[in-house]
Amino acid sequence: MKIKESWGSKLFDAFNVLLMLLLVVVMLYPMVYVFSASISDNAMVSSGRVLLWPKAVTLEAYGRIVANPDVWISYWNTIRYTVVHTALTLIATAAMAYPLAKKWLPGRRAVLLMAAFTLLFSGGLIPTFLVVQKLGLLNSIWAIVLPSLISTWHLFIMRTFFEALPEELEDAATIDGCGSVQVLLRIVMPLSLPVLASIALFTAVGQWNAFFDALIYLKDKSMYPLQIMLRNILIAGSNVQGEGDLDFVVTLKYAMIMIATLPILCVYPFIQKYFVQGSMIGGIKG
């Protein structure tokens, strides 16, 4: 028997649809505008005549960026920083979260309290810089990767996820002769793809967009990530070729934003299916 919906229910559904459509427009318009501005004539963009669709289409901005070897060097730096940081973060976070998920671990509560303490207080910029300097990590990839290797928030999410896994699976693997490391690698990690994908996405996006650590720890321009070049264009007002063509820098800004954003936009759809599941399970269960 078909249940007749009330006018209030229909009105509520219509309001939700309109609200979602409005949010979609609000989120998509900046991306559409940036793309349109990046392929439009610089004079059209500077005069404010490009509102949604491109005008006087030209690929000159992309041509200048692609022809610049510094862009590809910085692109490669960003890729390797992101890949190494994400991989090591997953390994280190899982290695720390798994034993902390066991209630029989001696000193478990003290370790968790010390980890939670870092959510409220940190050493600060200067002490962190001095530690990196004393360790001899300046002007290297490890200065970008190691200081932010483990996030306390990600650690708690993964620990809570591990606690929710059935203990019978680990007991069965232990009876079959697996050690703790084998249980983690062969049983726990394959069952934890949702939370691993969520943390990997958070870490990769954060590292891809990071530029402040590079400004502090890197001196060699050949090691600069892509975001430093984007910052120079957006803030310092310099163009990619360094020719002082300030009139053309407006279009270069938008073209550089598109190039810097495109990889994350391509990766996200493949991870999105794990995103909500991993965040919700890791943040609620336990």
Side-chain angles (χ1 to χ4, degrees):
M1 182 177 178
K2 186 177 181 180
I3 300 176
K4 186 177 181 180
E5 294 185 5
S6 63
W7 282 103
S9 179
K10 293 181 179 179
L11 182 62
F12 180 75
D13 291 341
F15 175 78
N16 281 338
V17 171
L18 291 176
L19 179 60
M20 293 299 105
L21 290 175
L22 178 61
L23 291 177
V24 169
V25 172
V26 170
M27 290 184 288
L28 286 182
Y29 175 75
M31 291 301 302
V32 174
Y33 172 77
V34 169
F35 175 72
S36 298
S38 67
I39 61 174
S40 298
D41 181 72
N42 186 73
M44 295 287 186
V45 179
S46 300
S47 62
R49 298 174 64 181
V50 177
L51 299 178
L52 181 61
W53 306 114
K55 295 185 177 181
V57 176
T58 175
L59 299 178
E60 185 178 358
Y62 287 98
R64 289 200 182 190
I65 292 176
V66 171
N68 190 329
D70 291 338
V71 172
W72 298 108
I73 294 175
S74 62
Y75 224 116
W76 165 243
N77 290 335
T78 299
I79 292 174
R80 66 192 182 103
Y81 295 161
T82 302
V83 171
V84 172
H85 188 206
T86 302
L88 292 181
T89 292
L90 292 178
I91 295 172
T93 305
M96 185 175 181
Y98 180 66
L100 290 176
K102 306 304 176 183
K103 296 182 180 180
W104 48 260
L105 179 70
R108 173 176 178 265
R109 181 177 178 82
V111 175
L112 290 175
L113 288 176
M114 287 188 290
F117 182 82
T118 62
L119 288 173
L120 304 175
F121 303 97
S122 64
L125 177 60
I126 295 178
T128 303
F129 177 84
L130 293 177
V131 171
V132 173
Q133 183 184 45
K134 294 298 182 180
L135 293 175
L137 302 179
L138 290 179
N139 206 38
S140 70
I141 184 176
W142 307 116
I144 305 298
V145 172
L146 294 182
S148 57
L149 188 61
I150 297 180
S151 167
T152 306
W153 178 246
H154 295 166
L155 175 66
F156 284 163
I157 290 178
M158 190 174 293
R159 178 191 69 92
T160 307
F161 191 96
F162 288 165
E163 286 181 340
L165 295 176
E167 294 183 1
E168 292 77 9
L169 293 175
E170 299 183 33
D171 294 338
T174 302
I175 293 174
D176 290 339
C178 292
S180 298
V181 177
Q182 290 178 313
V183 171
L184 175 62
L185 296 178
R186 296 184 180 183
I187 305 298
V188 176
M189 297 297 280
L191 294 175
S192 304
L193 285 180
V195 72
L196 292 175
S198 300
I199 293 176
L201 179 62
F202 282 130
T203 305
V205 171
Q207 183 58 56
W208 187 272
N209 293 327
F211 71 93
F212 189 67
D213 288 348
L215 283 176
I216 298 174
Y217 301 129
L218 301 181
K219 298 179 181 179
D220 189 353
K221 291 185 178 180
S222 64
M223 298 192 65
Y224 280 176
L226 184 65
Q227 300 302 329
I228 294 293
M229 183 167 292
L230 177 60
R231 174 186 176 273
N232 291 338
I233 296 175
L234 294 176
I235 298 178
S238 61
N239 61 47
V240 176
Q241 296 287 11
E243 298 170 353
D245 186 5
L246 297 179
D247 293 334
F248 194 69
V249 75
V250 177
T251 310
L252 282 175
K253 291 179 181 180
Y254 295 114
M256 197 68 184
I257 291 173
M258 288 303 304
I259 290 178
T261 308
L262 187 60
I264 295 298
L265 293 178
C266 294
V267 170
Y268 181 79
F270 298 98
I271 305 179
Q272 189 269 341
K273 62 179 180 180
Y274 300 108
F275 182 72
V276 175
Q277 182 183 358
S279 297
M280 294 298 291
I281 292 177
I284 294 177
K285 283 192 175 181

